[in-house]
């Protein structure tokens, strides 16, 4: 039997806000597979997303500013969400630091349960259902705040997303090619892709998935140490490896779904 393998790398292009992975098949014709942006599959969000509604505005929110004056009463307000004087919901600053928004220190290590608790607290303050009888501006602001809080929560909850966001805050990003990987790791990934391709039973696929999960958990520990020591080069290298492992997990998940459906 002729041996084939796929070399996958993250592509910088975006489709509906999601990244995709290009896969080059060695030994067969080239192919392009589109996969959702890679996420750590052992993390569960535990909350439904809040999507921003498209409403016609009679104003232009200053998303880049940190204005201290309330748009309604014009008084100085220290709260970025609710004016402490008139209690009106303020305009959204989409450039706000997610760690500051969620009231967490800007570090990789965080307590997921505390992040979820903070997420629910913030959503309870700005949930659109609470502003149905308010002004149209507050209704729009409510939807925007809910969307932003949800995005910040998901970004900080998922380790690979949190790591990439920290790199962004430092003016860096994960390489969009294989330049950060050595040949030995690439060969290992080829062999693992072959292993998944040749697995024909649910048990075989679950065993491979479990092995990958344990390896990813170890890499998250390494990632935490690298960020704590401000070793951004090492952190970047670990995240590139994690994306490959997560890609294989995604392939396993799809194959398991196919087996269950057949």
């Amino acid at each position: 039997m002729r041996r084939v393998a796929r070399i996958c790398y993250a592509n910088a292009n975006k489709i509906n806000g999601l990244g995709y992975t290009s896969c080059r098949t060695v030994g067969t014709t080239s192919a392009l597979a589109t996969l959702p942006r890679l996420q750590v599959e052992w993390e569960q969000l535990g909350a439904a997303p809040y999507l921003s509604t498209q409403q016609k505005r009679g104003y232009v929110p200053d998303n880049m500013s940190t204005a201290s004056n309330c748009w309604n009463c014009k008084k100085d307000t220290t709260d970025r969400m609710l004016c402490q004087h008139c209690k009106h919901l303020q305009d959204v600053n989409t450039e706000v630091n997610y760690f500051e928004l969620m009231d967490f220190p800007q570090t990789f290590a965080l307590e997921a349960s505390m992040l979820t608790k903070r997420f629910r607290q913030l959503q309870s303050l700005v949930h659109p259902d609470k502003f149905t009888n308010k002004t149209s501006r507050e209704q729009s602001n409510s939807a925007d705040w809910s969307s932003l809080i949800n995005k910040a929560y998901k970004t900080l909850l998922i380790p690979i997303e949190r790591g990439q966001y920290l790199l962004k805050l430092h003016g860096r990003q994960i390489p969009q090619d294989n330049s950060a990987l050595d040949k030995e790791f690439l060969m290992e990934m080829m062999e693992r892709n072959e292993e998944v391709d040749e697995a024909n039973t649910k048990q075989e696929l679950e065993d491979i998935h479990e092995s990958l999960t344990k390896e990813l958990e170890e890499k998250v520990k390494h990632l935490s140490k690298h960020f704590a020591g401000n070793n951004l080069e090492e952190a970047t290298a670990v995240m590139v490896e994690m994306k490959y492992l997560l890609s294989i997990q995604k392939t396993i998940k799809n194959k398991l779904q196919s087996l269950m459906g057949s």
Side-chain angles (χ1 to χ4, degrees):
M1 180 182 68
R2 186 168 62 140
R3 297 170 67 83
V4 298
R6 292 182 299 170
I7 301 177
C8 299
Y9 58 94
N11 194 297
N13 294 330
K14 300 289 181 181
I15 300 177
N16 296 328
L18 299 177
Y20 67 84
T21 300
S22 298
C23 297
R24 180 165 58 85
T25 303
V26 180
T28 65
T29 57
S30 297
L32 181 68
T34 57
L35 300 175
R37 179 158 46 189
L38 304 169
Q39 298 182 348
V40 178
E41 294 187 7
W42 68 85
E43 293 276 16
Q44 299 297 323
L45 294 181
Y50 293 88
L51 301 178
S52 176
T53 58
Q54 299 299 316
Q55 299 188 26
K56 193 171 184 178
R57 302 175 189 273
Y59 69 99
V60 179
D62 188 0
N63 292 340
M64 296 295 290
S65 74
T66 55
S68 60
N69 291 333
C70 171
W71 62 265
N72 180 61
C73 69
K74 311 304 180 183
K75 293 182 180 180
D76 182 73
T77 178
T78 57
D79 194 312
R80 66 165 58 95
M81 288 187 182
L82 290 171
C83 174
Q84 69 265 34
H85 305 291
C86 66
K87 305 304 179 183
H88 277 62
L89 189 62
Q90 299 302 292
D91 298 340
V92 172
N93 174 16
T94 57
E95 299 300 312
V96 66
N97 183 301
Y98 290 171
F99 288 96
E100 293 178 5
L101 176 62
M102 305 303 289
D103 197 23
F104 269 75
Q106 189 172 301
T107 60
F108 181 82
L110 57 75
E111 181 61 48
S113 62
M114 295 300 296
L115 180 66
T116 299
K117 180 179 180 180
R118 178 57 177 163
F119 164 74
R120 290 170 177 166
Q121 289 173 340
L122 290 175
Q123 285 290 6
S124 69
L125 290 175
V126 302
H127 195 282
D129 289 349
K130 299 183 68 174
F131 293 85
T132 54
N133 296 322
K134 301 292 185 177
T135 65
S136 60
R137 184 162 182 168
E138 285 185 284
Q139 290 174 11
S140 296
N141 286 349
S142 172
D144 290 344
W145 274 115
S146 290
S147 177
L148 180 63
I149 292 167
N150 186 66
K151 182 179 180 181
Y153 172 65
K154 290 191 291 184
T155 298
L156 299 187
L157 180 66
I158 301 170
I160 189 72
E161 299 288 343
R162 184 165 71 248
Q164 289 184 103
Y165 183 69
L166 279 169
L167 285 185
K168 178 183 177 182
L169 293 177
H170 286 88
R172 303 167 69 102
Q173 63 179 1
I174 295 179
Q176 303 301 324
D177 54 31
N178 298 327
S179 60
L181 294 171
D182 56 38
K183 292 182 179 179
E184 183 178 349
F185 180 81
L186 284 173
M187 289 301 297
E188 182 183 349
M189 293 302 98
M190 291 184 199
E191 292 173 359
R192 290 196 172 190
N193 272 301
E194 280 190 333
E195 187 179 2
V196 174
D197 289 339
E198 295 172 0
N200 296 314
T201 67
K202 179 174 178 288
Q203 187 61 54
E204 287 177 316
L205 291 169
E206 288 180 344
D207 288 345
I208 300 172
H209 190 281
E210 182 179 357
S211 175
L212 290 169
T213 297
K214 291 179 180 179
E215 188 169 345
L216 282 164
E217 289 172 344
E218 286 301 312
K219 289 192 178 296
V220 168
K221 294 177 182 178
H222 295 157
L223 199 55
S224 182
K225 292 179 181 179
H226 291 321
F227 274 117
N230 201 33
N231 299 318
L232 300 183
E233 290 291 342
E234 291 84 351
T236 300
V238 171
M239 281 191 284
V240 171
E241 292 181 354
M242 286 177 67
K243 294 191 80 168
Y244 273 78
L245 296 173
L246 288 164
S247 179
I248 298 174
Q249 276 198 331
K250 182 66 177 181
T251 300
I252 292 173
K253 182 178 179 180
N254 291 338
K255 192 166 183 177
L256 281 169
Q257 290 176 340
S258 296
L259 285 175
M260 293 173 65
S262 61

